[in-house]
Amino acid sequence: MLLLKNAELPFPENKKMQTLSEIEFEEVSGRDGNLGLITLTRPQALNALNQPMINALHQQLTEWESANHIKAVVIRAAEGRAFCAGGDVRSVYERKLKHDSNLTNFFRDEYTLNRCIHDYEKPYIALIDGIIMGGGAGISIHGSHRVASDRMLFAMPETAIGFYPDVGMTYILARLPHQIGYYLGLTGARILLSDCIATGLIDHHVKGDRFPDLIYALADTSFDVDEHETITNVIKSFSVPAENSTLLQQSDVIEKCFSEKTIEKIIHALENTGDNKWNEVASLLKTKSPTSLKVTLHALQEAENLDFDEAIQMEFRLSSQFLQGHDFFEGVRAVLIDKDQTPHWKPATLKEVTADSIKKYFEPLEMEL
């Protein structure tokens, strides 16, 4: 059996499908069926998802779901710093400058893809090596099996650009233990593989240079009885222990502070821990978009009682409202376009963001997802 190093992409002996320059699809031949293999190949942009990539991925997944010879799907990224650093919000910003009236289509297509992955009838295995943020979580965390290398770095940093954690992640973050999802969603904090394993975001730790071997092992394994259990056992044979989580060591403080019901009370609780670290977290929150913070907190609180489809529907409403507002485009400008890191939020303070203004973000749309 031919075993390839991680950088040797794609697998040359397999059947290649029609591809874009940013994403490739191929079929890995194996016993009793093939694997559908997806490779993100836009490393110069940290594999950020643009709309053609999103639509091509959704179309291919749909075809493979009904193909009898495909027994499971694997998604990975070409060698580089990132698995996927998010959705290409720069393109949304540029379309806004051109007065494009169809900005919601990007998010509609992305969330439809997220829902497809969450509901996928065949095993969907994500192999994560490097940075995973925003939209990258949407094409991996919702899969049936989440595998990562020790290079994994996870964050949902959307409040820094005047947005909120979307791509179905309100549903995921709201269910993490000890209010850790609230901490991650509001602050945009970056966490390592060990923390992701400890909180349940990731299922297994496999060294990145073993990913190709794992792919071939999965392809060459017969899924006779319980396919999900079979895949889990194959992955376990490649798994190695993760380090202890430093995040969980702080879970008491996180749970106490982020269980508060308003942003103002969360900040007050952080400032009264008597620990400079958490004072710095409070100060960090004060730099975020006040609107984003209040929308995010309410969205996470709502998502606790929603199923996935209801949560992704809620997110489409929120995103549609953010596209009508000021802070999202100002945040993208300050962080990603001009890179001056000095966004001017409107409203500028938490006090100015009223309950009625937040309520409007959650109202039903004429055209739902």
Side-chain angles (χ1 to χ4, degrees):
M1 180 182 295
L2 179 64
L3 299 180
L4 303 177
K5 294 181 180 180
N6 203 32
E8 294 176 333
L9 303 170
F11 291 91
E13 296 181 348
N14 301 320
K15 179 182 177 183
K16 292 186 67 175
M17 319 298 292
Q18 188 173 2
T19 64
L20 299 173
S21 60
E22 301 99 342
I23 187 169
E24 295 182 347
F25 306 102
E26 53 189 313
E27 296 181 2
V28 184
S29 299
R31 189 185 309 167
D32 298 332
N34 300 350
L35 293 181
L37 179 62
I38 304 154
T39 307
L40 305 177
T41 55
R42 198 187 180 203
Q44 72 282 2
L46 300 181
N47 292 316
L49 298 170
N50 58 32
Q51 201 160 359
M53 292 169 69
I54 289 167
N55 292 337
L57 177 52
H58 191 191
Q59 179 181 345
Q60 189 62 63
L61 286 176
T62 301
E63 293 177 8
W64 277 338
E65 191 170 31
S66 60
N68 292 332
H69 68 292
I70 296 295
K71 57 187 181 182
V73 171
V74 175
I75 186 167
R76 64 173 180 174
E79 183 78 9
R81 291 175 54 207
F83 169 77
C84 177
D88 191 359
V89 293
R90 289 177 65 104
S91 65
V92 178
Y93 180 89
E94 290 163 359
R95 288 167 60 183
K96 172 74 170 180
L97 295 181
K98 296 176 182 177
H99 306 288
D100 189 331
S101 61
N102 296 312
L103 292 181
T104 56
N105 287 348
F106 176 88
F107 295 99
R108 180 182 293 277
D109 290 349
E110 186 174 27
Y111 300 167
T112 301
L113 171 62
N114 301 147
R115 185 163 55 190
C116 168
I117 293 169
H118 180 271
D119 297 339
Y120 208 60
E121 294 182 358
K122 294 179 178 179
Y124 182 102
I125 304 117
L127 302 182
I128 302 163
D129 187 33
I131 298 167
I132 170 176
M133 297 183 181
I139 59 169
S140 57
I141 301 299
H142 302 314
S144 61
H145 296 78
R146 293 84 58 94
V147 181
S149 77
D150 53 13
R151 295 201 316 143
M152 179 185 184
L153 180 69
F154 172 86
M156 295 298 293
E158 287 78 11
T159 55
I161 58 167
F163 205 51
Y164 72 101
D166 62 334
V167 296
M169 289 303 290
T170 57
Y171 177 85
I172 299 295
L173 294 177
R175 286 161 174 76
L176 296 189
H178 308 296
Q179 301 296 109
I180 286 173
Y182 282 72
Y183 164 66
L184 297 175
L186 290 167
T187 67
R190 300 182 177 192
I191 60 173
L192 303 176
L193 169 71
S194 56
D195 303 318
C196 292
I197 292 279
T199 57
L201 281 168
I202 294 299
D203 302 312
H204 305 281
H205 172 209
V206 173
K207 292 186 179 299
D209 60 3
R210 300 298 312 278
F211 281 5
D213 297 1
L214 173 56
I215 291 169
Y216 273 128
L218 289 168
D220 209 34
T221 298
S222 178
F223 300 166
D224 290 330
V225 185
D226 186 328
E227 57 189 11
H228 285 82
E229 183 179 356
T230 301
I231 290 170
T232 297
N233 289 335
V234 172
I235 295 172
K236 282 183 176 179
S237 71
F238 286 83
S239 297
V240 293
E243 296 180 359
N244 292 330
S245 169
T246 57
L247 186 64
L248 279 193
Q249 294 172 13
Q250 307 163 71
S251 61
D252 288 349
V253 176
I254 292 173
E255 186 163 17
K256 178 180 178 181
C257 294
F258 287 87
S259 293
E260 297 288 354
K261 300 305 181 187
T262 69
I263 295 296
E264 291 88 344
K265 289 182 178 180
I266 289 173
I267 291 174
H268 180 75
L270 290 166
E271 290 174 335
N272 284 274
T273 58
D275 187 328
N276 286 338
K277 169 187 168 58
W278 298 108
N279 287 340
E280 291 173 4
V281 172
S283 297
L284 174 67
L285 285 174
K286 292 176 183 178
T287 69
K288 310 291 186 181
S289 158
T291 298
S292 293
L293 290 177
K294 289 199 172 185
V295 169
T296 296
L297 179 60
H298 190 61
L300 292 172
Q301 291 167 341
E302 289 289 308
E304 287 187 13
N305 300 307
L306 301 178
D307 62 26
F308 183 85
D309 191 67
E310 291 168 334
I312 204 81
Q313 183 69 257
M314 174 187 71
E315 291 182 7
F316 185 64
R317 295 170 183 171
L318 299 180
S319 297
S320 299
Q321 291 296 331
F322 273 103
L323 290 175
Q324 303 301 317
H326 167 271
D327 279 8
F328 173 55
F329 295 104
E330 172 61 10
V332 173
R333 179 207 65 76
V335 176
L336 301 176
I337 307 298
D338 297 339
K339 299 183 179 179
D340 56 34
Q341 309 302 322
T342 56
H344 301 286
W345 307 124
K346 295 181 182 178
T349 67
L350 289 167
K351 186 177 181 179
E352 294 175 272
V353 182
T354 66
D356 286 343
S357 68
I358 296 303
K359 184 179 178 181
K360 290 179 181 179
Y361 279 79
F362 294 81
E363 293 176 351
L365 302 171
E366 289 186 10
M367 291 186 62
E368 297 278 30
L369 186 65

